[in-house]
């Protein structure tokens, strides 16, 4: 329950980040810098938050996620670039904690209570389907209600997100116990980085898998940044929350289909992932082809018009 509440605080913000910055008068270049700051912060702190959570406590890390993201939401009330930049850095830190501390706490608590191991995979399966699917869809629709239906302005979803995060933090503080990583396996960061570098250099498959994941994530983050200006190039009014909900619906369907495919012995994961990458590439190519065809049609119409004029 608490995970869904906490992750709702993240999903509520997604559709309106670019739109909010544009309403403050920032151009695509400045907004791009803000996005890069957030992604860069997540990349930088993502390498250390897992280790810190193991040492300082996973429950404490989850509370830190809530506090950090609440502070990030508060900064959205300011139109000042420096304040928004601080908010993006805080948001990047919070994202790193979201995708590490909660899962680590759950696994440790599951094992400590002696639950059956297959229940863990079932829990994660439901968390992906509900958290990354249903909760994300409802968050998009709720954000659309706040901004478009109730006309509360583009900062309203961030205020709602802060409320959900505060509720999640209260539940964590009142009902969760603390757990830590195995102290016998604790190593300093330099040792961990050195071990990772050795593993990448010694096994080509690990290096290739990292490259594939990075390229796919890079294209996804590019899409996250560009979908708002692509759909409203002339600042047209669009239902950001509703559009985001349709994205998340497609993601939920894809997750459901992937789980069914992985349950089968055939096709192999490597085979159907090739199909996934081809479909993803075709999807990103479609707007380019549509735009080129549109420009060609327009030029042809102008040419014909001048011929018959």
């Amino acid at each position: 329950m608490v995970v869904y509440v906490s992750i709702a605080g993240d999903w509520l913000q997604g559709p309106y980040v670019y739109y909010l910055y544009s309403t403050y008068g920032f151009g695509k270049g400045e907004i791009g810098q803000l996005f890069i700051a957030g992604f860069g912060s997540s990349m930088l702190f993502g390498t250390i938050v897992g280790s810190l959570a193991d040492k300082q406590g996973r429950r404490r890390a989850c509370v830190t996620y809530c506090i950090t993201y609440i502070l990030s939401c508060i900064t959205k009330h300011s139109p000042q670039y420096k304040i928004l930049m601080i908010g993006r850095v805080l948001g990047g830190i919070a994202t790193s904690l979201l995708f590490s501390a909660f899962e680590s706490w759950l696994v440790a608590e599951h094992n400590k209570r002696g639950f059956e191991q297959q229940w863990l995979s079932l829990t994660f399966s439901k968390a992906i389907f509900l958290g990354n699917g249903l909760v994300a869809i409802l968050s998009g629709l709720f954000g659309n209600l706040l901004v478009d239906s109730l006309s509360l302005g583009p900062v309203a979803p961030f205020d709602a997100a802060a409320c959900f995060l505060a509720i999640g933090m209260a539940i964590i503080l009142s009902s969760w116990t603390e757990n830590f990583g195995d102290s016998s396996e604790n190593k300093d960061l330099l040792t961990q980085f050195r071990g990772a570098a050795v593993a990448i250099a010694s096994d080509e498959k690990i290096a290739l898998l990292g490259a594939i994941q990075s390229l796919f994530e890079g294209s996804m983050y590019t899409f996250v940044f560009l979908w708002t200006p692509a759909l409203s190039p002339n600042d047209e009014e669009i239902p950001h929350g509703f559009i985001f909900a349709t994205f998340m619906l497609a993601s939920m369907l894809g997750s459901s289909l992937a789980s069914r495919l992985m349950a089968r012995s055939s096709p192999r994961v490597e085979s159907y992932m090739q199909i996934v990458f081809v479909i993803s590439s075709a999807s990103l190519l479609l707007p380019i082809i549509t735009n080129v065809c549109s420009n060609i049609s327009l030029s042809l119409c102008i040419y014909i018009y001048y011929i018959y004029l």
Side-chain angles (χ1 to χ4, degrees):
M1 175 65 181
V2 65
V3 176
Y4 300 145
V5 173
S6 300
I7 204 169
D10 180 54
W11 289 128
L12 267 168
Q13 303 175 53
Y16 294 98
V17 176
Y18 191 105
Y19 177 57
L20 177 68
Y21 294 153
S22 64
T23 59
Y24 286 151
F26 296 112
K28 187 180 290 185
E30 292 169 310
I31 296 175
Q33 292 171 6
L34 290 168
F35 270 78
I36 291 171
F39 297 151
S41 172
S42 182
M43 177 191 71
L44 179 64
F45 288 97
T47 58
I48 62 175
V49 293
S51 177
L52 289 175
D54 289 344
K55 294 178 181 178
Q56 303 300 323
R58 280 77 174 260
R59 174 177 175 268
R60 185 176 298 171
C62 293
V63 171
T64 303
Y65 156 78
C66 295
I67 294 173
T68 307
Y69 230 166
I70 288 172
L71 293 174
S72 176
C73 291
I74 292 173
T75 63
K76 298 300 189 292
H77 283 271
S78 173
Q80 296 183 30
Y81 186 78
K82 291 181 180 179
I83 301 297
L84 294 173
M85 182 64 74
I86 293 172
R88 287 298 295 175
V89 173
L90 291 172
I93 297 172
T95 302
S96 300
L97 288 166
L98 173 62
F99 293 110
S100 59
F102 284 88
E103 292 182 4
S104 298
W105 181 89
L106 173 62
V107 172
E109 196 69 15
H110 182 94
N111 294 330
K112 185 171 71 174
R113 299 191 182 193
F115 294 144
E116 294 184 28
Q117 201 61 33
Q118 61 263 31
W119 291 1
L120 191 61
S121 60
L122 182 63
T123 300
F124 277 118
S125 176
K126 288 185 176 180
I128 292 172
F129 184 79
L130 295 175
N132 287 350
L134 185 61
V135 173
I137 293 170
L138 293 177
S139 297
L141 295 175
F142 183 53
N144 201 82
L145 173 70
L146 294 174
V147 177
D148 293 335
S149 301
L150 300 179
S151 302
L152 296 178
V155 79
F158 298 93
D159 293 335
C163 293
F164 277 106
L165 291 164
I167 294 170
M169 183 172 64
I171 297 173
I172 292 171
L173 289 171
S174 62
S175 62
W176 284 23
T177 58
E178 186 62 276
N179 62 52
F180 300 86
D182 189 349
S183 57
S184 63
E185 296 180 0
N186 282 343
K187 301 176 182 178
D188 61 86
L189 288 175
L190 186 60
T191 303
Q192 293 180 43
F193 281 125
R194 189 181 295 114
V198 170
I200 293 172
S202 60
D203 191 339
E204 184 184 41
K205 291 182 178 179
I206 296 178
L208 290 174
L209 179 61
I212 291 169
Q213 181 73 11
S214 298
L215 291 169
F216 191 87
E217 292 279 340
S219 64
M220 185 187 71
Y221 284 129
T222 303
F223 178 85
V224 167
F225 169 60
L226 289 176
W227 75 264
T228 299
L231 293 178
S232 57
N234 299 312
D235 296 326
E236 298 92 343
E237 291 293 329
I238 59 173
H240 296 84
F242 183 78
I243 295 170
F244 179 81
T246 61
F247 291 157
M248 293 300 102
L249 175 61
S251 176
M252 186 171 70
L253 292 174
S255 176
S256 178
L257 179 60
S259 63
R260 292 176 182 274
L261 289 173
M262 291 179 69
R264 294 181 165 189
S265 57
S266 178
R268 296 174 60 196
V269 174
E270 294 87 344
S271 300
Y272 82 73
M273 281 307 297
Q274 293 175 3
I275 300 173
V276 170
F277 273 74
V278 169
I279 294 174
S280 300
S281 300
S283 299
L284 293 176
L285 275 173
L286 186 60
I288 299 174
I289 296 172
T290 304
N291 187 57
V292 170
C293 292
S294 177
N295 290 337
I296 291 174
S297 299
L298 179 62
S299 300
L300 185 60
C301 289
I302 293 173
Y303 177 72
I304 294 173
Y305 174 77
Y306 277 107
I307 287 177
Y308 287 97
L309 187 65

